[in-house]
Amino acid sequence: MLTKVIEQSRIDHLSKWIERAEKVVVVSHVAPDGDAIGSSLGLAHFLESQDKTVNVIVPNAFPDFLRWMSGAKDVLRYDKYKEFADKLINEADVIFCLDFNALKRIEDMAGVVAASPARKAMIDHHPYPEDFCRITISHPEVSSTSELVFRLICRLGYFEDITKEGAECIYTGMMTDTGGFTYNSNDREIYFIIGELLSKGIDKDEIYRRVYHTYSEDRLRLMGYALYSKMHVFPEFHSALIALTQEEQDRFHYVKGDTEGFVNIPLSIKNVCFSVFLREDKEKGMIKISLRSVGDFPCNQVASEFFNGGGHLNASGGEFYGSMREAIDEFKKALVRYQGLLVNKK
Ligand code: 5GP
Ligand code: MN
């Protein structure tokens, strides 16, 4: 049995909305990750089983290693099909906002989502939700939005309607937001849920391979280069930094998703508890930042204070508008500012 995490009043409220709705739009955050796509498609599969017309819309591209999921090919990219997406968003009865809690996380879609007359419901697990949805289901203590989607469907009374395809999507989001159940993954109910998903016929070992073992040779060589030549360890701060310029990425024929997970690797060094990865994106004219920590070191605070970002305590991100050198200087300032908290947590 699962604990009733989501308040009953919100389940009841949402249940009425779903019952009445015909057209539903599910939106998720920019640079969608496994949990964004997994939770969105997991919910979409369920809503389709209830005969709703469902469209999943995201601001831009997601990595190829998520493309195998059922429904992924129909996910609408706002940067490609703005007009059509605007129409769907404006005509929706209900809009679900999944895996984000601040309108700026959907970038160019923010205006049209905010202005749409549709009823809006947020399902998310990031701290400090903004108030832009009539129903806000926000649980930072839950390790993935996909898990929340599973809990929601069960509480609505429709566990039976979860298909194998829907279960695969939900499992993928749960797996990717916990690094394959290696962090934020001590809640025993996660494993109860996995048992339930397995009962739908999913092959969790194959899902792991599809997500984590389908990289290109170029990506592996870029990883080798990043670790051998570009990783700097700051032992006195229990921290590590990897920074890759656009030129370096080009040298290894970088494609979207190739640096996914790089930020986690330095945390496997004894005594390193804070890891930052900087990736220059010339096209967007910015440096994309990923931050990870072990223990109670607040990555999200560093992300918001130094890099216009936010996220979870142990996994967050941001953007820096300036040169790589300036971004690295900013990182070094953050180390000094947070020195008191940068102690060994292992
Ligand atoms: P990643 O390092 O995988 O890109 O992002 C890790 C987490 O940080 C995401 O799940 C998201 O919660 C958060 N995040 C990433 N980029 C940004 C950003 O630019 N702004 C904010 N507020 N959060 C971000
Ligand atoms: Mn998530």
Side-chain angles (χ1 to χ4, degrees):
M1 265 298 279
L2 289 173
T3 309
K4 290 186 171 173
V5 169
I6 306 169
E7 292 88 340
Q8 192 60 44
S9 59
R10 294 194 166 99
I11 300 279
D12 295 340
H13 199 168
L14 205 50
S15 176
K16 287 200 188 99
W17 284 13
I18 293 172
E19 209 172 290
R20 286 192 220 124
E22 280 175 31
K23 297 179 198 161
V24 181
V25 162
V26 180
V27 303
S28 196
H29 60 77
V30 68
D33 57 9
D35 191 31
I37 298 296
S39 61
S40 297
L41 290 176
L43 182 65
H45 281 292
F46 161 66
L47 293 168
E48 277 163 3
S49 77
Q50 308 304 303
D51 299 321
K52 311 298 173 189
T53 303
V54 190
N55 280 282
V56 177
I57 309 175
V58 293
N60 58 0
F62 57 88
D64 279 347
F65 60 76
L66 300 173
R67 218 160 281 278
W68 58 269
M69 275 188 267
S70 167
K73 287 179 187 66
D74 300 321
V75 171
L76 202 62
R77 275 176 57 179
Y78 194 76
D79 59 347
K80 275 192 158 177
Y81 302 102
K82 179 181 183 314
E83 261 169 51
F84 182 46
D86 280 344
K87 185 170 147 61
L88 293 170
I89 290 167
N90 277 312
E91 291 176 357
D93 300 309
V94 176
I95 298 176
F96 282 94
C97 297
L98 261 57
D99 203 37
F100 70 97
N101 66 7
L103 278 170
K104 75 172 203 186
R105 293 281 291 145
I106 51 170
E107 295 195 343
D108 292 347
M109 291 169 67
V112 65
V113 168
S116 166
R119 298 181 169 96
K120 284 159 226 161
M122 177 199 298
I123 306 174
D124 181 61
H125 69 137
H126 294 87
Y128 319 118
E130 278 181 5
D131 187 18
F132 61 94
C133 291
R134 193 115 68 87
I135 299 177
T136 297
I137 295 176
S138 169
H139 290 276
E141 77 282 12
V142 170
S143 63
S144 63
T145 298
S146 298
E147 178 182 330
L148 280 171
V149 165
F150 179 87
R151 288 176 178 277
L152 172 69
I153 297 169
C154 291
R155 292 283 298 287
L156 289 166
Y158 290 106
F159 171 76
E160 298 304 324
D161 287 353
I162 298 178
T163 58
K164 178 184 173 193
E165 289 72 26
E168 286 176 341
C169 298
I170 290 170
Y171 181 80
T172 302
M174 292 175 66
M175 179 186 79
T176 53
D177 257 24
T178 55
F181 307 103
T182 61
Y183 48 77
N184 290 336
S185 58
N186 284 329
D187 177 358
R188 60 201 284 253
E189 294 194 0
I190 288 174
Y191 304 94
F192 176 81
I193 295 171
I194 294 173
E196 297 292 80
L197 295 172
L198 286 166
S199 79
K200 299 287 178 180
I202 68 164
D203 182 339
K204 65 181 268 302
D205 303 342
E206 189 183 346
I207 291 175
Y208 187 93
R209 288 193 296 274
R210 283 181 185 172
V211 172
Y212 293 118
H213 290 176
T214 56
Y215 290 120
S216 64
E217 177 182 339
D218 275 328
R219 167 188 143 101
L220 222 61
R221 295 198 187 280
L222 177 60
M223 184 192 282
Y225 170 73
L227 296 178
Y228 187 71
S229 301
K230 301 304 302 273
M231 181 177 72
H232 296 279
V233 178
F234 301 79
E236 67 280 27
F237 295 98
H238 302 285
S239 299
L241 174 73
I242 299 173
L244 289 177
T245 64
Q246 183 72 59
E247 186 279 318
E248 290 169 320
Q249 296 161 60
D250 292 347
R251 226 189 294 161
F252 292 88
H253 316 107
Y254 171 88
V255 295
K256 203 175 169 59
D258 273 358
T259 55
E260 197 81 30
F262 282 17
V263 65
N264 294 305
I265 304 172
L267 293 178
S268 63
I269 302 170
K270 190 160 94 176
N271 299 336
V272 169
C273 297
F274 179 46
S275 171
V276 173
F277 174 67
L278 308 179
R279 190 179 67 78
E280 184 181 26
D281 188 329
K282 272 261 164 69
E283 198 183 317
K284 290 190 182 155
M286 58 122 162
I287 313 281
K288 182 68 202 169
I289 326 284
S290 287
L291 309 92
R292 298 290 187 275
S293 69
V294 177
D296 55 6
F297 183 76
C299 286
N300 46 4
Q301 233 169 285
V302 178
S304 79
E305 207 174 310
F306 290 87
F307 298 115
N308 307 303
H312 308 282
L313 187 80
N314 296 129
S316 44
E319 296 171 350
F320 183 81
Y321 290 85
S323 68
M324 184 58 97
R325 180 173 293 273
E326 288 163 341
I328 292 172
D329 285 345
E330 231 22 50
F331 163 76
K332 288 180 179 165
K333 271 189 231 163
L335 289 189
V336 173
R337 173 84 57 90
Y338 281 86
Q339 183 156 28
L341 297 177
L342 285 167
V343 293
N344 193 11
K345 296 282 165 45
K346 287 182 180 164

